[in-house]
Amino acid sequence: MSADLYDLAIVGAGPAGLAAALEAHAQGLRTLVIDEQRAAGGQIFRQPPTEFDEPVRSPVGYPWAADLLADAAGATGVDWWFETTVFGVLDARSTGRDDFEVLVTGTQGSRRAHARRLLVATGAYDMPVAIPGWTMPGVLMAGAAQGLLKAQHVRAAGPVVLAGSHPLMLIVAAQLVRSGADVAEVVFARGLPSLRELFLAAPAVPGHVRLLAELAGCVLTLVRHGVRITTSAVPTAIIGDGGVTGIRLAKADRAWRVRGPEREVPARTVVLGYGFQASTELARQLGCPVRWDSAAGGWLVEVDGNFETGVPGVFVAGEPTGVSGAEQSRAEGAAAAAAIAAGLGRPVGAVRARAIERDLRRSRRFAAVVQRMFAPERPGLTALATPATTVCRCEAIPRSDVDGFLEANRHADTVDAVKLSCRTGMGPCQGRYCETTVAGAVAAARGGTVSDAGRFAAQLPVKPVSLQTYADLFDAD
Ligand SMILES: Cc1cc2nc3c(=O)[nH]c(=O)nc-3n(C[C@H](O)[C@H](O)[C@H](O)COP(=O)(O)OP(=O)(O)OC[C@H]3O[C@@H](n4cnc5c(N)ncnc54)[C@H](O)[C@@H]3O)c2cc1C
């Protein structure tokens, strides 16, 4: 075997990537993990920089996090490339070789890695929702507000209002309160759960009592600090001129459509938390087939029982197969690595295989309940963007441009058609921020669904890189 050839390259060092790396390493696979962050942990287990000299902390409800991070730190047989972005992967169709060529750029320069198998464990993003004023300084996504707090100890300026639909908002609001921030209100788009919903949620309880108790603790913290918790309401505008001064809220119906009078709440920071969208662009760039599941994170990569995609040798684990929480990401990472190891002639033992299967079953029950209870009402969210609302923030394109194009071109019914004319999705984020809003606009105009509008093509490079990177990697070819 060539010294430069890895058995397995893993993109992403969150719970999925870390569990996979440890499993693969235990089976003797030569393993490389690449992540653009400075250290292992992914979104949920993100830690302050080492310069802060703090002990590793497990977040709310995940007591196993510190052990996972310690095991990863001790896995010196694994190669770790941090502060390194994977901007594309080439397979046999473009290289003629039978391994994968992973193209990266980062603090160590631009390089290629070769691997016999690829595991994409790239996680998810905060789901962007375009409402009037959402691009103003002082508006954050829930994950970003939390990231600032836990990784940099920077708390959002108060008064803070959180608006959205995902239970992560309760955790973030409580974390902000505990850090001393002035949190005024948490606004949920959905109503209180019915008794029937609570009954149907019962399968999520076994094995998750501690997580649920910690969530209840977050609610208690908010109540004790006088934070108002509102249900069945949506933000209709974020107010301010160059910075947030308030938020306008209105009563909403079950489909999150505005159905009541508006009220204004003073705020210096608005945190939006409508859930997550799976990060699938790398898998899509490789040609992996995807499917639409609105509740589970939008476009998801299709995988078989071994977490292998439609492209042989490419596996996906964690949020790109469905946004299901850290526990399921960890379980999927371990299961995918076990399958990869078996395929390379190094199967895990029967006891370990059963444990992996048990973890998967348990975490799936929990994830299914969360997804069902907090599924986004996409048409209602799309309707929050007024004609003047910026839809594509990279190219500064308002909703009226998209609607005007759709009005003038009755045959156009996909997000790619809108992109070609309006430039939505052509900026550095390549549509990560605007795709769902544009798809919602197409669906509203044509009377179809968001999935009917399709998705932007994912092309190399999937993340912005300099021309120098291309010159470094391809000049010699
Ligand atoms: C900002 C944010 C905060 C969250 N906070 C919580 C929380 O408090 N509680 C909770 O239950 N859930 C939270 N979640 C949901 C959480 O993402 C999952 O539960 C869990 O972290 C998923 O694990 P994962 O391994 O699938 O993905 P992640 O943990 O997202 O890990 C993916 C990793 O892949 C890396 N990556 C992605 N693309 C590339 C690339 N092209 N090149 C190199 N590296 C790449 C990322 O840097 C990241 O480290 C959060 C999600 C986000 C987006």
Side-chain angles (χ1 to χ4, degrees):
M1 183 174 73
S2 152
D4 295 319
L5 180 64
Y6 290 95
D7 291 317
L8 174 62
I10 300 171
V11 187
L18 291 180
L22 294 173
E23 198 68 47
H25 182 51
Q27 298 312 313
L29 300 192
R30 186 155 186 257
T31 304
L32 167 68
V33 181
I34 309 168
D35 198 297
E36 54 195 359
Q37 298 296 325
R38 290 180 77 181
Q43 300 293 2
I44 184 168
F45 303 150
R46 192 186 290 240
Q47 303 290 324
T50 45
E51 291 84 347
F52 282 33
D53 201 19
E54 292 179 13
V56 172
R57 290 199 187 90
S58 295
V60 173
Y62 298 96
W64 44 267
D67 286 346
L68 182 69
L69 294 176
D71 289 348
T76 47
V78 174
D79 281 353
W80 304 92
W81 292 3
F82 288 115
E83 297 183 293
T84 303
T85 299
V86 176
F87 64 90
V89 178
L90 305 176
D91 67 4
R93 287 167 296 187
S94 40
T95 61
R97 296 171 52 127
D98 61 2
D99 53 35
F100 294 96
E101 191 169 305
V102 186
L103 306 173
V104 309
T105 185
T107 47
Q108 301 296 314
S110 304
R111 318 182 249 179
R112 302 157 196 244
H114 291 275
R116 298 165 73 194
R117 300 286 183 272
L118 180 76
L119 177 66
V120 177
T122 44
Y125 304 103
D126 282 294
M127 185 170 110
V129 174
I131 59 175
W134 73 294
T135 53
M136 226 184 320
V139 183
L140 297 169
M141 304 287 185
Q146 189 194 48
L148 276 175
L149 195 60
K150 65 185 177 190
Q152 298 291 331
H153 302 326
V154 173
R155 65 167 180 255
V160 183
V161 174
L162 297 94
S165 56
H166 199 270
L168 178 65
M169 284 205 304
L170 292 172
I171 297 173
V172 176
Q175 286 170 331
L176 284 167
V177 166
R178 287 169 191 151
S179 77
D182 168 18
V183 177
E185 187 164 346
V186 183
V187 184
F188 278 92
R190 58 154 298 156
L192 286 172
S194 63
L195 280 177
R196 182 170 180 275
E197 264 184 299
L198 290 175
F199 177 74
L200 290 174
V205 177
H208 299 96
V209 173
R210 187 166 172 175
L211 178 61
L212 295 170
E214 300 221 32
L215 202 58
C218 290
V219 176
L220 213 60
T221 299
L222 298 179
V223 172
R224 275 207 198 108
H225 284 80
V227 176
R228 180 173 174 177
I229 301 178
T230 308
T231 55
S232 302
V234 290
T236 52
I238 298 165
I239 309 155
D241 185 10
V244 174
T245 56
I247 180 167
R248 217 170 280 142
L249 301 165
K251 270 282 162 211
D253 64 15
R254 290 163 69 98
W256 303 0
R257 301 258 183 198
V258 175
R259 285 291 179 260
E262 290 181 320
R263 65 186 168 92
E264 219 168 284
V265 181
R268 278 178 68 203
T269 303
V270 168
V271 175
L272 299 175
Y274 286 94
F276 301 102
Q277 91 188 14
S279 164
T280 57
E281 59 274 6
L282 194 59
R284 287 195 278 139
Q285 179 260 309
L286 268 160
C288 301
V290 291
R291 66 187 170 88
W292 174 257
D293 185 336
S294 178
W299 291 106
L300 308 177
V301 185
E302 283 191 65
V303 289
D304 64 15
N306 287 327
F307 295 91
E308 189 165 13
T309 68
V311 177
V314 179
F315 294 70
V316 174
E319 315 273 61
T321 70
V323 175
S324 309
E327 197 177 72
Q328 187 162 334
S329 286
R330 178 182 63 156
E332 289 191 8
I340 291 166
L344 293 175
R346 293 168 181 267
V348 300
V351 174
R352 178 68 190 133
R354 274 199 298 278
I356 289 173
E357 190 49 44
R358 197 176 50 238
D359 284 352
L360 264 179
R361 266 202 312 274
R362 196 179 66 159
S363 58
R364 274 185 180 139
R365 275 199 304 269
F366 184 75
V369 170
V370 175
Q371 286 171 3
R372 195 171 54 234
M373 287 183 80
F374 299 98
E377 291 289 343
R378 292 181 190 264
L381 291 179
T382 305
L384 294 174
T386 63
T389 304
T390 300
V391 167
C392 168
R393 61 188 308 170
C394 298
E395 300 280 323
I397 296 159
R399 168 88 189 247
S400 56
D401 279 19
V402 174
D403 287 345
F405 166 76
L406 290 168
E407 178 67 32
N409 298 276
R410 293 286 171 168
H411 59 282
D413 58 1
T414 64
V415 291
D416 264 341
V418 176
K419 177 180 179 177
L420 287 175
S421 174
C422 301
R423 296 191 57 79
T424 44
M426 286 207 185
C429 91
Q430 288 290 290
R432 277 187 281 275
Y433 272 97
C434 66
E435 187 183 82
T436 44
T437 310
V438 174
V442 174
R446 299 289 174 258
T449 64
V450 169
S451 58
D452 292 338
R455 59 200 174 275
F456 294 135
Q459 283 155 352
L460 190 76
V462 297
K463 299 236 172 168
V465 293
S466 66
L467 285 174
Q468 187 63 51
T469 296
Y470 263 73
D472 291 346
L473 284 177
F474 295 107
D475 251 11
D477 292 355

